[in-house]
Amino acid sequence: MNFSIDWLTFEWRLIARSRLSVVALLLLLVLSTLSVWSGVQEVARQRDTIAQLAALQAQDAAVATTRNATGGNAGSAAYYTFHHTWDAPADAAFLALGLRDVAPYALRIRALGLQAQLYEGETFNPEVALPGRFDFAFVLIYLAPLFVIALLHDLVSSERQSGRLRMLAAMPDGGRLWRRRVALRFALLLACLVLPVLAGAGWAGLDMGASVIVLAVAASYLAFWIGVSLLVGAHGRRSVTNATALMGVWAVLTLVLPTLANVALTRAIPVHQGVDLMLAQRQVVHGAWEVPRDETMRKFYLGHPQWQHSAPLPEGFHWKWYFAFHQLGDESVAGQVQQYRAGLLARQAWTDRLGWVLPGVGVQAVLHRLAATDLPAQLAYQQRISSFHEALRNFYYGYLFTDLPFGPAQAAHQPVFAPAPGAAPAPWRAAAAVCLLAWLVFAAGAWRLVRIKGGGER
Amino acid sequence: MIKRIALEEWRALARDRAAVVGLLLLTVLMLVAALTAYEQQRGANAERARYQAQSNHEFQAQPDRHPHRMVHYGHFLFRPVNPLAAFDPGIDGYTGSTLFVEGHQQNSANFGDVRQTSLLLRFGQLTPAFVLQVLAPLLLVFFGHAAVARERESGTLRVLLAQGVASRQLVLGKLLALCGFTALMLLPALAGLAWMAASGHAPWLPVLLLAAGYTGWLLLWSLGVVLVSTLFARGRDALLVLLAVWTVAVILLPRWIPDLASSAVALPTRYENVINVQRDYLALGDSHNPQDPKFAAFRDGLLKQYNVTRVEDLPVNLKGLVSMEGERRSTELFNRYAAAGMDRQQAQSRLIDHAGWLSPALALRRLSMTASGTDLASFRSFLEQGEAYRYALIQGLNKLHAEEVHYADEGQAGKENRISNSHWQGFPPFHYRQAQVDEILLRAAPAGAALILWILALTGLTWWLGGRLGRAVR
């Protein structure tokens, strides 16, 4: 025991004596802390915004209800009343802010055609969004490997260049020394990286499973880069050559290949249907004014037989006709909506697959899935809006198609949006895939390291 | 002497297999990036032009109907891509490309790529701009960091100085060699840009601005690399320092500073904006209802103007005129909110620009996006042109309503209150006007000045330290 403490203090002293290493470790700690802190701030801000919007919307809905109080008509109530929907940030959202800066996380919806409302953009400055957020995912995926490289690229070569390598290799159980050195650096890097995350997780009330995944993924990603550093560094080359080669590997794995993959993906799976379905839906909705009203109703009753015994349309305007053709507009593009979603999900699926071979992409996918800030999370929010919209329509139809009066008393029973049920299922499989690859590379690096011979001094 | 030193350094670089391979890889990457970005830009433009034509056709092919139905039918506008987006797509993937224009409302541009792709887009886009902004400096760092330090480390510096080579000559020679290396990296991009201008795809001035900007950017890095190389006795230290500088300037600050700017100037969500706009809009009165008391003064003014006592006696349709007046009032309101929102975004961007004096990477990005017409100001210009088109279209339809539909017939069953669809064909299609050259120059000027200042500062510093190098060795 005493012995092991001795080597620990000895090795630590070695690291501490190199000012550069200490500065690097401190810098990593600071960056990681800043990223977690800014993520936590951002999540708090989003929660506040959602609460404020809810209050604002409640006021607006109250105004609509009072305005409708004298008329007592479900149609005009449905037309003028908007409803609050929101997508609260998950507990893990502070780790990876993802698409939440470019997609709305709160949307007001009314019972009219959904497809004209669902794709509303959020106000954001594209120049701010373009480089991406400064969050923990960024620090882990882009910056942490650079620190690994800085601390490990000359692990072997510095000993060789100073002429100690032959002696170290000649020591009994020489592998132990390398194991200790690597383990200590690994532990220090990991600590600097994840201590702020643990603090953030405690603050956000992150559940155990999610915390374990974050730790496992962060440790594995570090292990991957340590493995790569060892594989490159164990060859008998100079420190500078190692650093150059490692930075090259980093640039290719985190900058070049993912962007190449993105080009390939957008090309292989084109998604134009978003615009198409919007144009198509408009044609149907606006064309309806020229279609004989009875024909519209006949078509509508075909798909919704529960209302077919509604009274015939009166001479003038009737809201049920208006809502019927809006719904027919949505239904006419239902197939395109399916295709659009399928196209987007296919892009996501291929990205996930890419994550099995590119650890940076894999970690990105796992963290964003965990944080529920990725494309599937956005689609899930749209899906929840759709279900709510369905409930809203049915609620109003109950008054519209039976000509029941609708007043504030009835308005009090309007459906309320159901937010996401707690945490999303943890991405265990994707995380396992990332970890597996990472530790294989680590094992290869470690194996290469212990086989180092003292020769090849330059 | 300088030339000989440069040639020597060149020979060393050419012998270094890694440097040659690195350069080749960068060139291949640049070609792939240029081709895919060009293809993508052309594809996007073709697609948007097709959609625009389809939309125009659908608008003109609408049947005979009441003009106010057309006000609600509206129109779709598609934002064309600037041809130079093939070089630097800037914010193009982040802004919507589809704008739905209709009466009584200003909509947002929807269907930006960023919401339609997995998070891969957030790793960056493979474009010539990305290669030159991010990867080329890294290559320069790898193969230039030891230029002077190596001579010092191996003791040849002392020998050279003893033989009467001035230390400044040596530094300039190394710089020249590195600039040659830089020129090789720039060559494919410059050739591509020249081709775009010569073939008439893009105007010359922005192309020259881009060429100058990226030449300046890589010159800056060449200077910086040689400078750091003279500062450190060991190549290893120079490399680590340069890598740290690269990481901070190219990777860290461009992410962090926008984040700071966005928390310094908060943007209201679209949601709350819509509620506020709607509240103010309802306070303006209902322009669908000519009896709305909010329009009483307007109505009385009309009666007086035409010298009649009853609205039925007006030679024009009161409903159409009230619609026009309502649209005028509401557009004023919308524009006020839209301008306020955009001003806040531009305030954020200005904050980022100020940081360009600290990190030239930000200055270069501004210059590049502005010259390529893919910056926020260009997008704002599209939105404003779209809004101007919307207003003209809606008021044109309202005017038809006022002049072609009789007030007495409105809402009367059996009365003809539709007008011929030939009227729809009278509206000119939307044409997006790209920014003028002088606007581009004006917007890019501060960023260009920041780059020039950086180059001057580093040149001065290199000159000064180059002179002191001899003393450091002795």
Side-chain angles (χ1 to χ4, degrees), chain B residues 7 13 16 68 87 97 110-111 140 142 145 166 208 220 223 246 267 293 301 312 314 348 361 396 439 470 474:
Chain B
L7 279 175
L13 273 174
D16 184 353
H68 196 72
F87 188 82
S97 55
N110 292 335
F111 295 108
L140 269 179
F142 284 155
H145 70 273
L208 287 176
L220 194 64
L223 279 165
W246 178 84
L267 294 180
E312 287 81 1
L314 283 169
Q348 291 182 336
E439 293 171 48
R474 237 170 267 146

Side-chain angles (χ1 to χ4, degrees), chain A residues 368-416:
Chain A
H368 283 85
R369 188 83 290 275
L370 203 64
T373 55
D374 54 0
L375 188 64
Q378 204 194 328
L379 291 175
Y381 175 44
Q382 289 186 351
Q383 193 64 56
R384 279 193 297 281
I385 294 178
S386 290
S387 314
F388 171 60
H389 187 260
E390 177 92 50
L392 214 52
R393 266 179 173 156
N394 286 333
F395 171 77
Y396 284 116
Y397 288 176
Y399 295 92
L400 264 181
F401 285 89
T402 51
D403 288 316
L404 283 175
F406 188 93
Q410 286 75 29
H413 294 105
Q414 292 176 108
V416 177

Side-chain angles (χ1 to χ4, degrees), chain A residues 234-253:
Chain A
H235 286 283
R237 284 187 292 254
R238 293 182 309 135
S239 303
V240 172
T241 320
N242 289 341
T244 309
L246 284 169
M247 284 297 284
V249 172
W250 173 83
V252 168
L253 286 186

Side-chain angles (χ1 to χ4, degrees), chain B residues 140-153:
Chain B
L140 269 179
V141 166
F142 284 155
F143 299 112
H145 70 273
V148 181
R150 182 181 33 181
E151 307 281 357
R152 213 158 141 177
E153 218 170 350

Side-chain angles (χ1 to χ4, degrees), chain A residues 84 120 154 272 283 351, chain B residues 47 58 65 108 118 236 271:
Chain A
H84 183 51
E120 200 59 69
D154 60 351
H272 324 277
Q283 288 306 332
T351 305
Chain B
E47 184 174 272
E58 275 167 1
R65 56 166 59 147
S108 63
S118 61
R236 183 201 124 122
Y271 189 121

Side-chain angles (χ1 to χ4, degrees), chain A residues 20 31 34 38 49 53 56-57 60 67 83-85 98-99 101-108 118-134 138 141-143 146 153-154 240 243-244 247-248 250-251 254-256 258-263 265-267 271-272 274-276 278-279 282-283 286-287 289-290 340 344 347-348 351 354 360-361 364 368 374-375 378 382, chain B residues 29 32 36 39-40 47 51 54-55 58 62-65 69 72-76 78 90-91 94-95 98 100 107-111 114-126 130 134-135 138 142-143 145 235-236 239-240 243 246-247 251-252 254-256 258-259 261-262 267-272 274-276 278 282 345-346 348-349 352 365-366 369 375-377 379 413 418:
Chain A
L20 208 71
L31 288 173
L34 275 176
S38 86
T49 306
L53 293 179
L56 197 63
Q57 176 51 38
D60 195 70
R67 189 152 10 101
H83 301 263
H84 183 51
T85 79
L99 288 174
D101 56 346
V102 295
Y105 49 79
L107 205 61
R108 12 191 257 156
L118 200 54
Y119 308 102
E120 200 59 69
E122 182 52 280
T123 324
F124 68 96
N125 183 344
E127 286 185 358
V128 167
L130 175 64
R133 297 300 298 247
F134 180 76
F138 167 67
I141 293 163
Y142 289 89
L143 299 183
L146 298 176
H153 75 278
D154 60 351
V240 172
T244 309
M247 284 297 284
W250 173 83
T254 56
L255 298 177
V256 176
T259 54
L260 265 177
N262 187 38
V263 169
L265 208 58
T266 43
R267 187 149 296 224
V271 177
H272 324 277
V275 179
D276 284 331
M278 199 147 169
L279 292 173
R282 180 182 71 145
Q283 288 306 332
H286 287 271
W289 290 82
E290 320 299 332
Y340 181 56
L344 295 183
R347 284 183 171 182
Q348 180 65 37
T351 305
L354 193 67
V361 175
Q364 175 106 333
H368 283 85
D374 54 0
L375 188 64
Q378 204 194 328
Q382 289 186 351
Chain B
L29 210 58
V32 172
T36 53
E39 255 268 314
Q40 196 168 1
E47 184 174 272
Y51 277 128
Q54 180 192 337
S55 258
E58 275 167 1
Q62 288 302 301
D64 299 354
R65 56 166 59 147
R69 287 254 30 86
H72 281 274
Y73 176 75
H75 206 331
F76 273 96
F78 293 84
I91 61 170
Y94 286 74
T95 52
T98 319
F100 179 46
N107 295 306
S108 63
N110 292 335
F111 295 108
V114 66
R115 286 185 67 190
Q116 306 190 61
T117 51
S118 61
L119 285 152
L120 275 182
L121 187 69
R122 288 299 179 94
F123 277 87
Q125 288 160 282
L126 186 67
F130 171 79
V134 179
L135 302 179
L138 195 60
F142 284 155
F143 299 112
H145 70 273
R236 183 201 124 122
L239 176 67
L240 286 181
L243 286 180
W246 178 84
T247 307
I251 302 289
L252 187 60
R255 280 218 184 203
W256 196 11
D259 238 24
S262 83
L267 294 180
T269 50
R270 185 172 168 76
Y271 189 121
E272 80 187 274
V274 167
I275 290 185
N276 289 334
Q278 191 67 19
L282 289 177
Q345 292 191 29
Q346 284 190 320
Q348 291 182 336
S349 292
I352 303 173
R365 241 186 32 184
R366 157 67 56 230
M369 289 197 298
D375 59 345
L376 183 65
F379 181 57
R418 290 159 192 262

